[in-house]
Amino acid sequence: PKMKEDHCLHAALLCLGVLCYSHGLTTEKLNHSRPSLHGHHEKGKEGQVLHRSKRGWVWNQFFVIEEYTGPDPVLVGRLHSDIDSGDGNIKYILSGEGAGIIFVIDDKSGNIHATKTLDREERAQYTLTAQAVDRNTNRPLEPPSEFIVKVQDINDNPPEFLHENYHANVPERSNVGTSVIQVTASDADDPTYGNSAKLVYSILEGQPYFSVEAQTGIIRTALPNMDREAKEEYHVVIQAKDMGGHMGGLSGTTKVTITLTDVNDNPPKFPQSVYQMSVSEAAVPGEEVGRVKAKDPDIGENGLVAYSIIDGDGMDMFEITTDYETQEGVVKLKKTLDYETKKSYSLKVEAANVHIDPKFISNGPFKDTVTVKIAVEDADEPPVFLKPSYIFEVQENAASGTVVGKVHAKDPDAANSAIRYSIDRHTDLERYFVINAEDGNIKTIKALDREEMAWHNISVFAVEVHKQHQEAKVPVAIKVVDINDNAPKFAAAYEAFVCENARSNQQFITISADDKDDSANGPRFIFSLPPEIIHNPNFTLRDNRDNTASVLVRREGFSRQKQDLYLLPIVISDGGVPPLSSTNTLTIRVCGCDSSGSLLSCNAEAYILNAGLSTGALIAILACIVILLVIVVLFVTLKRQKKEPLIVFEEEDVRENIITYDDEGGGEEDTEAFDIATLQNPDGINGFIPRKDIKPEYQYLPRPGLRPAPNSVDVDDFINTRIQEADNDPTAPPYDSIQIYGYEGRGSVAGSLSSLESATTDSDLDYDYLQNWGPRFKKLADLYGSKDTFDDDS
């Protein structure tokens, strides 16, 4: 706070001094060098008019100090024209930047004042224009004149750094003067005026470890051999001061955090000289025994340590690896241990840096050694077989109880307990073998077949008598030795074909054999014909002595009509001891071939068909039959379609008779329920068809001898019957006669059809016959019945 008060006092005194100096300078200029905007006329002593040329005005810039806080406006300067006689007729006008707002002018005296506090850092200068005009007429007396008002700088801005906090790194043990970082500050004051913007850097905190260059702001190391392991981080405060660092200057500060980066300047060190470890003899290879760790104060890759065993009697039994996450050496078991053989081991372990800096190689070897002693602990071990696996042989078909081999295991412990043996039945599901529980002899239970299974892989358990949980397991492979117990056979189901035109001694098939026995009891195969057909007149056999044989034609001229199939027995013998043989039958078919020997047909019937009809002829005959059937179907269909109009004709009767039917159709989709009887009128069946359009004078009696047509009557018979009835009916006109209906006529028994007179006109028409039309017309018969009927109903 005291320093701040001193700075403020210094600034105030400086401003006051500059203000006084500026005021005095301005007054002197106004009094001694009053400018003229335009030249004016003067008279000489002798009355001669002298012409003065216009003088150039040197007042083209004024100065005003910034940050003035006085009670009165600051006088910037005064404008005056030589033609101004002081009578007030001239008016001064000011325009331009800040005119009327910041700068005001007395239009009579020409005095310019600044009404507001100015800040050079906001605006360094203002351009204004002055003009003298006639107060009454506003006529310009002189041309406008432009001038500049410059804001004079004072030291009112302290230096500011680009960042409030800086972070930098430098390697530990760096030489003195090593550059760390450069900090830069700026000052808003005018660098061209005085020393307000001249900065000097200094260090306030961080000595004696670091220093700073006064002019550049570069921070450098000041002490040698700074150790990161002793102190890693430093806080430095840098000051920037203006006025060249002299008294009264303003200052600003920034903080710089400097971190020492690590270098590999420290070797690894074991915290102790001997490590004690123990491991059970039952441990399996790869199991961890213990860990060692060498401490290295360096970090990152400079602190990486690799471990190795360089000496000791346990180099073959143990190994060490590096856990790079924990930087520990992991001692692991390399081979199986035996407490009864050796009870302790000693190792010499070395820890060395992975990355070594050549600049610090003189600091000594970057490695360390330690002794590791490992004690083997006794454990209750399971039995151990003398061999890791066993291989035995036994002949196939050997009698039950044949000894295959013997396995042996012992207890490695000092107690040397008795051992019991057993076979893992999961490996001998068929129970081919059995083992003696006391001596380990393996025997067969039933005969073995090599062709069924050549190898048997079983597992044998060995357990201690008194400790059933301690067991060992060993694989036993049993090979079944082959004996010659399978005769050779054809390698495939052969079927040979021989052409009718085959030549003598022509080969037509090659055969081979197969033997299930091992190669020692199988090939070579010997092929021959049985002794009874050795002189076969048709075929002969040739042994090719490569386990194959060729069948040849002995004669020419085979015929399928005489014999189309031959059976040739062939004897095959193997090379086993004793040799075995079998007789196999080869089927030979006689076939027709072309001149090149290609097969055409092997059927005897095909030869006979050549003299009769060919296949093409048969196909033509079948096609003709199909065409005839199609024609017949089309004919029947067309005939049925032609008969349909005869049936419909009666439906289109121009007389529009009401015809009753005994059954009701099933709709448009009912195409199978149609019966010809629906065309028959119930009255017509009896031979009588009444006229419905007129009232008949007498009842027509059916002719004797006519019988009702059955439901299954033929349409032709039905129509002929109807024609005969119409011809014999005197009340029915012929259908082919011309009927003229030009007028209704007189005295119609039907009366008028108009509804206008139906309510008042009594009709003499008798509608009693409607009662005979059935139940469907009962309502109509009731409406048009006789009056007596209505009277009775009422």
Side-chain angles (χ1 to χ4, degrees):
K2 185 177 181 181
M3 182 181 295
K4 186 174 182 181
E5 292 177 0
D6 292 342
H7 289 173
C8 294
L9 182 59
H10 293 164
L13 292 175
L14 180 62
C15 292
L16 183 59
V18 173
L19 181 62
C20 293
Y21 174 77
S22 175
H23 187 270
L25 182 62
T26 304
T27 305
E28 184 179 359
K29 285 183 178 180
L30 292 174
N31 293 332
H32 299 286
S33 180
R34 185 167 294 175
S36 175
L37 298 178
H38 278 279
H40 62 278
H41 302 282
E42 292 185 356
K43 293 183 178 181
K45 293 179 180 181
E46 297 179 356
Q48 183 181 0
V49 177
L50 302 178
H51 296 276
R52 280 174 48 184
S53 61
K54 184 177 69 174
R55 297 179 300 176
W57 207 10
V58 295
W59 56 270
N60 59 350
Q61 63 180 5
F62 291 124
F63 294 90
V64 60
I65 193 168
E66 68 169 335
E67 303 294 346
Y68 175 73
T69 58
D72 299 326
V74 178
L75 178 62
V76 178
R78 181 181 181 185
L79 299 180
H80 184 72
S81 174
D82 290 342
I83 64 176
D84 187 2
S85 60
D87 55 2
N89 291 327
I90 296 178
K91 179 181 178 180
Y92 296 96
I93 299 174
L94 185 66
S95 63
E97 299 174 345
I101 300 175
I102 300 176
F103 301 102
V104 296
I105 188 171
D106 188 341
D107 60 353
K108 293 183 179 181
S109 62
N111 291 334
I112 301 174
H113 292 83
T115 60
K116 293 185 178 181
T117 301
L118 303 180
D119 188 357
R120 190 202 66 84
E121 287 69 38
E122 292 182 2
R123 187 158 190 166
Q125 66 181 20
Y126 297 85
T127 302
L128 299 172
T129 302
Q131 188 175 22
V133 299
D134 187 273
R135 183 178 296 275
N136 297 321
T137 63
N138 285 331
R139 180 176 58 85
L141 301 178
E142 293 185 5
S145 180
E146 186 178 271
F147 64 96
I148 297 174
V149 178
K150 286 190 175 182
V151 182
Q152 194 171 13
D153 183 52
I154 64 172
N155 189 18
D156 59 341
N157 290 282
E160 293 183 358
F161 285 92
L162 299 180
H163 304 285
E164 184 177 356
N165 294 287
Y166 290 84
H167 295 274
N169 298 322
V170 63
E172 63 174 332
R173 299 190 181 277
S174 297
N175 296 328
V176 175
T178 301
S179 176
V180 179
I181 191 176
Q182 182 178 13
V183 294
T184 303
S186 61
D187 196 317
D189 292 326
D190 189 0
T192 63
Y193 180 77
N195 294 327
S196 298
K198 186 177 181 181
L199 305 182
V200 174
Y201 298 93
S202 61
I203 184 168
L204 300 182
E205 294 181 16
Q207 295 174 329
Y209 306 103
F210 300 94
S211 62
V212 64
E213 292 183 0
Q215 304 301 325
T216 62
I218 297 177
I219 302 175
R220 300 181 182 274
T221 58
L223 283 181
N225 298 325
M226 285 190 291
D227 191 4
R228 185 200 66 84
E229 288 73 30
K231 186 175 181 179
E232 183 177 6
E233 193 173 83
Y234 295 85
H235 298 281
V236 179
V237 178
I238 302 298
Q239 175 185 265
K241 189 174 183 181
D242 59 13
M243 299 300 291
H246 295 105
M247 182 70 67
L250 303 180
S251 64
T253 60
T254 186
K255 294 181 180 179
V256 182
T257 301
I258 302 175
T259 302
L260 298 182
T261 58
D262 184 61
V263 297
N264 190 9
D265 58 340
N266 295 283
K269 293 289 183 181
F270 283 104
Q272 58 195 67
S273 59
V274 178
Y275 283 86
Q276 299 286 345
M277 300 179 184
S278 61
V279 61
S280 173
E281 64 172 337
V284 297
E287 186 174 335
E288 181 178 330
V289 178
R291 294 186 174 221
V292 297
K293 183 175 183 179
K295 295 183 178 180
D296 191 331
D298 295 324
I299 59 175
E301 66 176 15
N302 297 318
L304 295 179
V305 179
Y307 298 88
S308 60
I309 300 175
I310 59 175
D311 197 7
D313 57 359
M315 294 182 64
D316 297 334
M317 306 300 295
F318 300 92
E319 61 182 356
I320 189 169
T321 59
T322 303
D323 186 348
Y324 287 103
E325 293 184 359
T326 61
Q327 291 297 304
E328 293 177 322
V330 183
V331 180
K332 296 181 179 180
L333 184 62
K334 189 176 181 180
K335 295 181 180 180
T336 304
L337 301 175
D338 187 5
Y339 174 81
E340 289 73 22
T341 303
K342 189 173 179 62
K343 296 179 176 58
S344 65
Y345 294 90
S346 178
L347 303 174
K348 188 175 183 180
V349 177
E350 179 185 78
N353 278 136
V354 177
H355 303 283
I356 299 176
D357 194 338
K359 294 188 297 183
F360 304 101
I361 195 68
S362 60
N363 289 3
F366 286 82
K367 57 185 177 180
D368 194 15
T369 58
V370 70
T371 300
V372 179
K373 293 184 178 181
I374 303 175
V376 180
E377 298 177 348
D378 188 21
D380 188 7
E381 300 174 86
V384 177
F385 284 95
L386 299 184
K387 295 181 180 181
S389 63
Y390 292 86
I391 300 178
F392 301 123
E393 292 184 356
V394 61
Q395 283 191 345
E396 66 174 328
N397 299 328
S400 176
T402 302
V403 177
V404 177
K406 181 179 181 180
V407 297
H408 182 69
K410 66 175 182 177
D411 183 9
D413 297 326
N416 195 16
S417 300
I419 305 299
R420 292 291 181 267
Y421 303 94
S422 62
I423 295 177
D424 183 1
R425 289 304 171 187
H426 293 91
T427 61
D428 185 26
L429 297 176
E430 301 295 332
R431 294 185 177 271
Y432 288 106
F433 307 97
V434 67
I435 190 171
N436 190 306
E438 296 182 355
D439 58 11
N441 279 322
I442 302 175
K443 298 180 180 181
T444 61
I445 300 178
K446 50 186 176 181
L448 305 178
D449 187 359
R450 190 203 68 86
E451 288 71 37
E452 181 180 344
M453 185 180 294
W455 285 86
H456 294 266
N457 296 304
I458 64 174
S459 298
V460 175
F461 288 113
V463 298
E464 297 181 11
V465 175
H466 302 293
K467 299 176 182 178
Q468 298 292 329
H469 65 282
Q470 294 290 357
E471 67 177 13
K473 186 177 181 180
V474 68
V476 178
I478 301 174
K479 179 182 179 181
V480 181
V481 180
D482 182 53
I483 63 173
N484 194 16
D485 58 345
N486 291 280
K489 296 179 180 180
F490 276 157
Y494 293 107
E495 185 175 6
F497 301 92
V498 64
C499 295
E500 289 181 308
N501 55 357
R503 300 185 306 274
S504 178
N505 293 326
Q506 179 181 345
Q507 174 184 334
F508 60 89
I509 189 173
T510 300
I511 60 175
S512 62
D514 188 16
D515 195 329
K516 293 183 180 180
D517 291 326
D518 198 2
S519 59
N521 295 313
R524 114 166 164 80
F525 299 121
I526 300 173
F527 299 86
S528 62
L529 295 177
E532 59 271 16
I533 62 169
I534 192 66
H535 300 292
N536 187 296
N538 300 315
F539 307 100
T540 184
L541 184 69
R542 182 178 65 199
D543 192 340
N544 297 326
R545 300 184 179 277
D546 59 354
N547 296 322
T548 64
S550 301
V551 182
L552 297 86
V553 177
R554 174 166 286 185
R555 66 178 179 86
E556 296 181 356
F558 290 91
S559 176
R560 284 179 288 173
Q561 285 72 31
K562 294 181 180 180
Q563 184 174 352
D564 63 344
L565 184 66
Y566 294 88
L567 300 177
L568 180 65
I570 298 175
V571 178
I572 307 176
S573 302
D574 60 19
V577 179
L580 296 178
S581 63
S582 65
T583 301
N584 301 266
T585 301
L586 176 64
T587 302
I588 304 173
R589 292 185 180 276
V590 180
C591 301
C593 304
D594 57 13
S595 59
S596 62
S598 300
L599 294 178
L600 296 178
S601 175
C602 294
N603 297 325
E605 294 78 2
Y607 185 81
I608 299 172
L609 287 175
N610 291 334
L613 296 176
S614 63
T615 304
L618 292 176
I619 294 175
I621 293 173
L622 292 176
C624 292
I625 295 174
V626 171
I627 292 172
L628 290 175
L629 291 175
V630 171
I631 293 173
V632 171
V633 172
L634 291 175
F635 178 77
V636 173
T637 304
L638 293 174
K639 185 177 180 181
R640 290 182 178 179
Q641 291 179 353
K642 289 180 179 180
K643 291 180 179 181
E644 289 180 358
L646 298 177
I647 302 174
V648 179
F649 178 78
E650 197 164 320
E651 295 178 358
E652 298 177 353
D653 190 356
V654 296
R655 296 177 300 169
E656 298 181 357
N657 293 336
I658 299 176
I659 302 174
T660 61
Y661 298 93
D662 292 339
D663 61 340
E664 184 176 351
E668 295 180 356
E669 298 180 356
D670 188 2
T671 59
E672 298 180 357
F674 178 78
D675 191 352
I676 194 62
T678 58
L679 297 177
Q680 300 171 353
N681 192 297
D683 298 330
I685 296 175
N686 299 324
F688 172 73
I689 302 176
R691 292 290 301 272
K692 306 300 181 182
D693 54 343
I694 63 174
K695 183 178 181 181
E697 297 178 358
Y698 60 92
Q699 195 73 13
Y700 175 73
L701 298 176
R703 293 184 297 112
L706 294 176
R707 294 177 298 176
N711 291 339
S712 60
V713 70
D714 186 68
V715 175
D716 188 37
D717 298 335
F718 172 77
I719 293 176
N720 291 331
T721 302
R722 289 292 183 265
I723 293 174
Q724 185 179 4
E725 292 175 354
D727 293 338
N728 297 326
D729 187 2
T731 62
Y735 285 100
D736 56 354
S737 63
I738 299 176
Q739 303 294 329
I740 300 174
Y741 302 93
Y743 57 97
E744 184 177 351
R746 297 177 181 178
S748 173
V749 294
S752 176
L753 297 177
S754 174
S755 61
L756 297 177
E757 299 178 356
S758 61
T760 58
T761 303
D762 294 333
S763 178
D764 297 330
L765 182 63
D766 186 7
Y767 294 101
D768 292 339
Y769 65 89
L770 293 176
Q771 299 292 338
N772 301 327
W773 283 16
R776 294 187 179 182
F777 298 93
K778 183 178 184 304
K779 187 67 176 176
L780 189 61
D782 295 340
L783 292 176
Y784 293 94
S786 62
K787 295 180 179 180
D788 298 337
T789 305
F790 290 108
D791 296 336
D792 295 338
D793 294 341
S794 60

